[in-house]
Amino acid sequence: MRDIGVVIGTRPEAIKMMPVIRSFEEAGLKPKIFVTGQHRELLSPILSELNLAATENLDLMEDDQSLGDLSSRILKNMQSALRRHRPDLLLVQGDTTSAAMSALTAFYEDIRVAHIEAGLRTFNPRNPFPEEMNRRLVACLADIHFAPTAQAEENLLKEGIESDHIHVVGNTVVDALFYSRDHLVSRLSRDFQLQEAMDLGRSIVLVTGHRRESFGADLASICEGIRKIADEFKDQVEVIYPVHLNPNVQSGVLPILSSAPNVRLTRPLSYLRFIQVMLHSKLIITDSGGVQEEAAALGIPVLVTRRTCERLEAVDAGISQLVGPDAEEIFNAAEELLTNESVYLKRAVPSLVFGDGHASRRIVKVLLKEE
């Protein structure tokens, strides 16, 4: 199998696919990279930062685009791209609309599909929305399933996927994290605003929040919890919140948090800058799956502001806590971690539950055996 196609639609996909692409290159192969542009403003900088050059950029994102419109455009344009390049296999990652529709297109074109980060489930079809159904759809279409954990493998087996089609490899986000931490972050130029925050001697609370199912009342509640943390710990905590560019996020966050003097609302940070801030953080509050995995590998306690979670391995390991979009739950959990050192130290233990940094090489090894 010498001709590999790789789909990248969002910033997290770029991060998680980067070490896979590099592992192919180490093996003497150059994958074709198909960029859908699902996250246009966030995706271009990360492609440049990670030195990933698109074979084709479909540039499909439009303002206020519905999921149906995006899906139909991916199907049509990916079909044309696959007919032009005809890879032996198409690699898709995760649970985005780009991943699901690209896998469906490859199925229509009789091109084999491999799914990276396969088997994650909440078992709630609408939470996260639309990701839960996207990844279930990809599972039906994929020929090869790269599960990050034993639990993900078990989920796939229960859905009838044959065991010899599943490979437990770890999550490639840990590969990217360890490489970036050890080789790239130190090369960053100084960011004076962030450096000022990190030099104050206060505990850094890093926040992210962008999921579609949280728009509206849930996001407002999350922000109320963060505001209470900032107010109650105004001399001890500095909150750094890179705010997603989506207007639904901006309109939920800014009215509640912009007036707090110890809350720094920034534009989305570059990947390496985000890792730099994460390495200085005492606590992370997030709805991001990738951030949960990164924090687990680094041993940084996480509060997960979602109603459901497909990464319970981190909860079982004690690093993550599912608090939901509930202001009081968020504050109470943060207060305990910020005031009880013994509880904090029990939680702040690095874990390899999501991988050891070698998932990408395992993936490439499996695929090269497919020849």
Side-chain angles (χ1 to χ4, degrees), residues 1-6 16-31 89 91 112 114-116 144-147 167-170 172 175 357-371:
M1 190 175 297
R2 310 301 295 180
D3 198 354
I4 305 291
V6 173
K16 294 180 179 185
M17 283 300 204
M18 178 271 289
V20 180
I21 293 168
R22 297 288 176 256
S23 293
F24 273 118
E25 291 172 345
E26 290 173 3
L29 299 178
K30 187 173 180 60
L89 177 136
L91 272 170
R112 300 182 76 208
H115 186 200
I116 296 175
I144 305 170
H145 308 257
F146 292 112
H167 304 271
V168 179
V169 295
T172 62
D175 303 18
H358 301 291
S360 300
R361 290 176 180 171
R362 295 187 186 103
I363 289 169
V364 171
K365 185 177 181 180
V366 169
L367 292 178
L368 291 181
K369 286 182 179 178
E370 292 283 317
E371 294 185 85

Side-chain angles (χ1 to χ4, degrees), residues 286-318:
T286 188
D287 62 6
S288 164
V291 173
Q292 292 174 58
E293 293 156 344
E294 291 164 337
L298 296 173
I300 304 170
V302 176
L303 305 182
V304 182
T305 59
R306 293 174 51 191
R307 298 181 185 278
T308 60
C309 183
E310 60 283 274
R311 292 170 173 84
L312 292 175
E313 293 93 340
V315 176
D316 294 340

